Amino acid sequence: GALSSGADVTIDAVGSSGSIADCLRITRPRGRVVLLGMPARVDLDLTGLWHREIDLKGAYTYGTETLADGRTTSTFDLAIDAANHFEAERLLSATYPLADHVDAIAHAASAGRRGAVKIAFDMREHS
């Protein structure tokens, strides 16, 4: 039940009242909810936070990280290295120019049936 199980850590990258409430609901007792990104004003019922003694942590998405070997690097450099290592572009199924937004949205809407993972807009100017 709600007072005995759940995720060890949940990360909210949306920042809405509803998404944070969902994280608080699905996090285990003495677990952690990380609010990632830009701050916003939200209205929340924090009863679950007290009942389950959840740790609420804010993260602004950048800083300096210490690696296992003691070297330091920026969070953004670490994220770029990870994306390159795991070839994150493989998750991108298609790109569309903004002018083709209707086709892009239709593709995204049928992503599951088409086996697509992510659809994106390519904002670069094409000649």
Side-chain angles (χ1 to χ4, degrees):
L3 295 177
S4 62
S5 65
D8 292 334
V9 177
T10 54
I11 299 172
D12 182 278
V14 176
S16 71
S17 297
S19 64
I20 297 170
D22 287 344
C23 287
L24 289 171
R25 191 179 68 254
I26 65 172
T27 302
R28 71 162 173 78
R30 297 196 175 152
R32 174 178 286 183
V33 173
V34 178
L35 305 179
L36 178 68
M38 298 297 292
R41 180 175 292 267
V42 294
D43 293 315
L44 293 171
D45 175 1
L46 296 176
T47 304
L49 180 131
W50 282 288
H51 280 171
R52 292 191 309 282
E53 300 178 342
I54 292 173
D55 181 23
L56 186 62
K57 173 115 176 123
Y60 196 63
T61 72
Y62 68 91
T64 301
E65 309 298 328
T66 302
L67 303 176
D69 65 6
R71 292 181 299 128
T72 59
T73 186
S74 79
T75 306
F76 285 118
D77 288 342
L78 190 59
I80 290 168
D81 288 347
N84 288 335
H85 174 77
F86 293 110
E87 298 176 349
E89 67 274 4
R90 291 181 304 140
L91 299 176
L92 188 60
S93 299
T95 59
Y96 289 87
L98 193 54
D100 293 342
H101 64 278
V102 173
D103 291 338
I105 292 169
H107 187 167
S110 64
R113 292 188 303 277
R114 297 179 67 174
V117 177
K118 280 287 184 191
I119 309 302
F121 290 108
D122 184 349
M123 302 305 286
R124 296 174 292 191
E125 291 187 27
H126 297 282
S127 53

